[in-house]
Amino acid sequence: MAPTIKDIAKLANVSHTTVSRALNNSPLIKEVTRKKIAEIAAQVGYVPNYNAKSLVMQRSYTIGLFFTSIAKGTSSGFFSDTIRGVNSVIDVEYNLFIRGIDDYAEYSSIHRKRFDGIILMSQSEADNKFIYHVVQQGIPIVVLNRQIDDRSIINIISNDREGAYNAGKHLIEAGHQDIAIIEGVEGFKSTQERRDGFIKALIEYNIPARNDYMISGNYDMQSGYEAMVQLLDLEKPPTAVFCSNDDMAIGAMKTVFERGLQVPNDVSIVGFDDSGFSLFANPSLTTVKRPIEKISEQGARKLLSLIKEPIENDVLISIDTEFIARESVRKLQK
Amino acid sequence: MAPTIKDIAKLANVSHTTVSRALNNSPLIKEVTRKKIAEIAAQVGYVPNYNAKSLVMQRSYTIGLFFTSIAKGTSSGFFSDTIRGVNSVIDVEYNLFIRGIDDYAEYSSIHRKRFDGIILMSQSEADNKFIYHVVQQGIPIVVLNRQIDDRSIINIISNDREGAYNAGKHLIEAGHQDIAIIEGVEGFKSTQERRDGFIKALIEYNIPARNDYMISGNYDMQSGYEAMVQLLDLEKPPTAVFCSNDDMAIGAMKTVFERGLQVPNDVSIVGFDDSGFSLFANPSLTTVKRPIEKISEQGARKLLSLIKEPIENDVLISIDTEFIARESVRKLQK
DNA sequence: CCGTAAAATTTTAACGTGTGCATAAATTTA
DNA sequence: TAAATTTATGCACACGTTAAAATTTTACGG
């Protein structure tokens, strides 16, 4: 049905070998024959069979984009920004394959023949097993978003620690002393990094970290809501709260309003991520912009060059966050 | 490197054909040999080469999930809900391939050999060209979210018209007479359906539709914001606004607050979609839940059965929306 | 224990493409 | 003009798998 190089060969009165070479711009082919063949190919609407090609070339023309999980724990904005970033870089000659690691019971179907390269948007330490498997299979990989100890792996992360530090600093310099933190999913590297950055700011300004001002959440709105309930129930509630992401900040704001209180007049709130709605929240949310789309673009580019030139190595790229001051923080007079 | 059926054949002292049959559970193979071969295969860690398989089977083991566009016009929640829905149904033996139609300059690379089936989350009439191509290639396809006239195509949509009708009715029954609508992207079927449903409610209650109460937006927050500016600048601003999606509703609420007005006290607002943040908005957003995840699950299932049994046809499944009353609508006393 | 049907397996070919080697044609050199 | 070299093309095989045809082995009735 669909024309093959052999069909073209017949039409052009040459061997299929010549056709193959002509279409791949081999220097062994005379210019006139190449042109003739290209013309015929275009005319009959030839498209290469990638399965045959892959079989003989030992390449798959497939880039795998993996998440820790697609089903849960990944916020929509994060998820779609990642795909957008990668998609914008990966040429259509590649298949863009998307799955969650937790969709797999075992990894045997993930091997060299099936993936030219893998981009992992990693959120959890538990991904290490997957990474190990991929490396062992000799598949080029780029890990995004979570720092990997193995320095032979290309690693692109955002500087969450510094971002959280800036958030904390901003609150302190606005005059706040009683500052709480609502944390992300336990075990996620980002959770830890953001906590560390936040605490660094406290230490730098000699503000004691109180245990009851550190509430753990899980990055979703509901958990932010619940965490804030705990905080407002304290004998001495904080005047400001750093939420480890915007979703939880939105949830936390909800609690504040339900208590008949105001943001930022009664409680100041800072988020993290700068997700789509943070600008349109009421009040608009002061937050730390995390350049997810940039990270994934960058990651995709690195992967492509890694596939072409496998020597590259020892790369850790840290992309800076950006502090965005909006309306959810109140300046206290001292 | 990686073991093939021939390697296994040698180890088992049989021909590679026997191995192939044994691993595919052909009834032509004696039980004992099957077992022996299965054992060896497991032991050497055999995984089939899908390129070779595809080449001879004329199947790709790839499901294509296409969007109208990945880069723009698709909200995060919508995008990720779709992928989640499909992902939950498609077995890992399939490649899940994701792209936007607008990533392609021409469709020649989209053909039967490369896709066992295609799921299209369609938002625009402009997709018809793509659909036509796919159908012409003989690729099984399921179109989601937008009604297609061609009844030979499996089509799964949400009943947006009825949802919008319910939204309008709710506002009217709460006592509102001056009701505006902020519309979605022009040319999107959903835009038209929601407008139609809304107007139907107006007509049913004998409320004249005013031209200056119909503002066009483009489904993003910013456009909702701007549309609401127009509405509030009117000599007689509406007391209620139906926004064609939640994103625009959030934008519209922002405008209201900036004017020093209240939702719902001064203006009532209804959205559409029930996206993640609508419950946590302040006030929480009354909206119409559109079951995107359900639609995509259902669509994926239909596609799988269509691939197996190509006789099925003339299917139009309409999934009902659900009206969700929350806090953004005020009951007027008459 | 032979002949034959059924069952189990092997042999051969095919899917569509790329590549090493041989060879024919064109060009240069002597 | 013949020999040496370069250039252009074709032949045959390989990639890993399934399927059709051919063959061998097993089972069974007389």
Side-chain angles (χ1 to χ4, degrees):
Chain A
M1 188 104 297
T4 73
I5 51 171
K6 289 186 183 172
D7 299 323
I8 297 179
K10 265 186 199 146
L11 291 175
N13 259 323
V14 295
S15 76
H16 77 276
T17 308
T18 304
V19 176
S20 170
R21 291 203 178 105
L23 294 176
N24 287 313
N25 293 318
S26 154
L28 297 178
I29 299 296
K30 227 199 317 197
E31 193 50 34
V32 283
T33 25
R34 161 178 304 121
K35 252 192 170 166
K36 186 176 69 176
I37 291 174
E39 232 161 54
I40 297 179
Q43 209 225 312
V44 300
Y46 168 77
V47 290
N49 182 321
Y50 275 82
N51 289 316
K53 213 163 174 159
S54 296
L55 182 57
V56 62
M57 302 286 279
Q58 313 268 42
R59 287 192 49 194
S60 62
Y61 297 93
T62 297
I63 300 287
L65 171 57
F66 285 83
F67 290 82
T68 301
S69 169
I70 280 185
K72 55 192 175 218
T74 307
S75 87
S76 301
F78 180 77
F79 187 54
S80 54
D81 282 355
T82 305
I83 296 178
R84 287 200 177 100
V86 171
N87 185 69
S88 71
V89 173
I90 301 291
D91 195 25
V92 275
E93 76 155 345
Y94 279 104
N95 296 314
L96 183 53
F97 173 106
I98 300 181
R99 275 290 160 104
I101 292 181
D102 64 346
D103 291 326
Y104 292 82
E106 42 87 44
Y107 303 142
S108 67
S109 66
I110 294 165
H111 54 268
R112 192 130 206 203
K113 299 267 173 68
R114 204 146 169 211
F115 294 98
D116 284 359
I118 284 179
I119 299 172
L120 171 60
M121 177 53 85
S122 181
Q123 301 192 86
S124 162
E125 300 252 334
D127 297 348
N128 287 346
K129 199 176 142 209
F130 176 84
I131 296 175
Y132 176 74
H133 173 85
V134 171
V135 169
Q136 210 203 4
Q137 293 285 320
I139 307 175
I141 186 174
V142 170
V143 177
L144 310 182
N145 195 52
R146 188 176 66 88
Q147 190 167 349
I148 302 297
D149 292 333
D150 184 339
R151 295 305 306 279
S152 72
I153 295 175
I154 296 189
N155 201 192
I156 302 178
I157 59 176
S158 68
N159 195 340
D160 283 17
R161 184 188 298 238
E162 196 211 18
Y165 167 79
N166 287 335
K169 187 172 152 190
H170 178 83
L171 288 172
I172 296 167
E173 293 189 337
H176 292 275
Q177 295 277 330
D178 304 317
I179 310 176
I181 175 175
I182 300 179
E183 303 192 45
V185 175
E186 210 180 311
F188 278 21
K189 187 86 174 183
S190 60
T191 302
Q192 186 189 322
E193 290 285 310
R194 293 173 199 181
R195 183 207 302 124
D196 289 354
F198 173 74
I199 289 180
K200 182 178 167 216
L202 293 185
I203 291 174
E204 198 170 303
Y205 285 82
N206 282 312
I207 297 179
R210 294 174 45 165
N211 259 337
D212 53 354
Y213 278 3
M214 302 181 62
I215 313 282
S216 68
N218 63 16
Y219 281 142
D220 68 17
M221 296 184 187
Q222 183 64 29
S223 75
Y225 178 88
E226 289 163 7
M228 190 54 117
V229 168
Q230 284 186 55
L231 288 172
L232 293 184
D233 280 346
L234 289 177
E235 206 162 310
K236 186 183 179 191
T239 64
V241 179
F242 167 60
C243 302
S244 297
N245 78 350
D246 286 357
D247 280 19
M248 295 197 297
I250 295 293
M253 278 171 63
K254 181 81 178 170
T255 307
V256 176
F257 299 134
E258 278 190 10
R259 298 273 172 128
L261 302 174
Q262 300 274 320
V263 175
N265 286 348
D266 300 300
V267 186
S268 291
I269 289 187
V270 174
F272 204 105
D273 278 356
D274 190 32
S275 41
F277 48 80
S278 55
L279 173 58
F280 287 89
N282 179 48
S284 62
L285 185 63
T286 293
T287 190
V288 178
K289 177 169 185 163
R290 186 167 55 137
I292 288 300
E293 202 162 336
K294 216 175 274 177
I295 289 177
S296 10
E297 274 179 37
Q298 182 94 217
R301 280 209 200 86
K302 277 286 172 209
L303 182 64
L304 290 182
S305 70
L306 180 61
I307 289 173
K308 275 192 191 153
E309 200 73 61
I311 26 171
E312 194 166 359
N313 111 15
D314 195 25
V315 179
L316 172 63
I317 298 177
S318 170
I319 299 188
D320 277 345
T321 57
E322 179 189 352
F323 185 78
I324 299 182
R326 290 204 269 251
E327 305 166 348
S328 62
V329 173
R330 177 183 172 207
K331 211 160 197 153
L332 296 183
Q333 48 235 23
K334 306 203 179 181
Chain B
M1 190 102 295
T4 73
I5 51 171
K6 288 186 183 173
D7 298 323
I8 298 179
K10 266 186 198 144
L11 291 174
N13 257 325
V14 294
S15 78
H16 70 276
T17 309
T18 303
V19 176
S20 171
R21 291 207 178 99
L23 294 177
N24 287 312
N25 293 316
S26 153
L28 298 178
I29 299 294
K30 228 200 319 198
E31 193 51 34
V32 283
T33 21
R34 181 206 315 289
K35 253 194 168 163
K36 185 176 70 177
I37 290 173
E39 231 161 54
I40 297 180
Q43 210 226 311
V44 299
Y46 168 78
V47 290
N49 181 322
Y50 275 82
N51 289 316
K53 212 163 174 161
S54 296
L55 184 57
V56 62
M57 302 282 279
Q58 314 267 41
R59 286 192 51 194
S60 62
Y61 297 93
T62 297
I63 301 286
L65 172 56
F66 285 83
F67 290 82
T68 300
S69 170
I70 280 185
K72 55 191 173 216
T74 308
S75 85
S76 302
F78 180 77
F79 187 54
S80 55
D81 282 354
T82 304
I83 296 178
R84 280 189 239 269
V86 171
N87 185 69
S88 71
V89 173
I90 302 291
D91 194 25
V92 275
E93 77 155 344
Y94 279 103
N95 295 314
L96 185 52
F97 173 106
I98 300 182
R99 275 291 158 105
I101 292 181
D102 64 345
D103 290 326
Y104 291 83
E106 42 87 43
Y107 303 143
S108 66
S109 66
I110 294 165
H111 55 267
R112 189 121 210 215
K113 300 267 173 66
R114 201 146 170 212
F115 294 98
D116 284 359
I118 284 178
I119 300 172
L120 171 60
M121 177 55 83
S122 180
Q123 300 193 88
S124 161
E125 299 251 335
D127 297 349
N128 287 346
K129 198 176 143 210
F130 176 83
I131 296 176
Y132 176 73
H133 173 85
V134 172
V135 169
Q136 210 203 5
Q137 294 285 320
I139 308 175
I141 184 174
V142 169
V143 178
L144 310 182
N145 194 51
R146 188 176 66 89
Q147 190 167 348
I148 302 297
D149 293 331
D150 185 339
R151 294 305 306 279
S152 72
I153 295 175
I154 296 187
N155 201 192
I156 302 178
I157 58 176
S158 68
N159 195 339
D160 282 17
R161 185 188 299 239
E162 196 211 18
Y165 167 79
N166 287 334
K169 189 172 151 189
H170 178 83
L171 287 172
I172 296 167
E173 293 188 338
H176 292 275
Q177 295 278 328
D178 304 316
I179 311 176
I181 175 175
I182 300 178
E183 303 192 45
V185 174
E186 210 180 309
F188 278 22
K189 186 86 174 183
S190 60
T191 303
Q192 185 189 322
E193 290 284 309
R194 292 173 200 182
R195 183 208 302 125
D196 290 354
F198 172 73
I199 289 180
K200 182 180 166 213
L202 293 186
I203 291 174
E204 198 170 302
Y205 285 83
N206 281 312
I207 297 179
R210 294 174 45 164
N211 259 336
D212 53 353
Y213 278 3
M214 304 182 62
I215 312 282
S216 69
N218 63 16
Y219 281 143
D220 68 17
M221 296 183 187
Q222 182 65 28
S223 75
Y225 178 88
E226 288 163 7
M228 189 55 116
V229 168
Q230 283 186 55
L231 288 172
L232 294 183
D233 279 346
L234 289 176
E235 207 162 308
K236 188 184 177 189
T239 63
V241 178
F242 168 59
C243 302
S244 297
N245 79 349
D246 285 357
D247 280 18
M248 294 196 298
I250 295 293
M253 279 171 62
K254 181 80 176 171
T255 307
V256 175
F257 298 135
E258 279 190 11
R259 298 273 173 128
L261 302 174
Q262 299 274 319
V263 176
N265 286 349
D266 300 300
V267 186
S268 292
I269 288 187
V270 175
F272 204 105
D273 280 356
D274 190 31
S275 39
F277 49 79
S278 55
L279 172 58
F280 287 90
N282 178 50
S284 62
L285 184 64
T286 293
T287 189
V288 177
K289 177 171 184 161
R290 186 166 55 136
I292 289 300
E293 200 161 338
K294 216 176 272 175
I295 289 177
S296 10
E297 274 179 39
Q298 182 95 217
R301 281 209 199 85
K302 277 288 171 206
L303 182 65
L304 290 181
S305 70
L306 180 61
I307 289 172
K308 274 192 191 153
E309 199 73 63
I311 26 172
E312 194 166 359
N313 106 18
D314 196 25
V315 179
L316 172 64
I317 298 177
S318 170
I319 299 188
D320 277 345
T321 59
E322 180 189 352
F323 185 79
I324 300 182
R326 289 204 269 252
E327 305 166 347
S328 61
V329 173
R330 176 182 174 208
K331 211 161 196 152
L332 296 183
Q333 46 237 21
K334 307 202 179 182

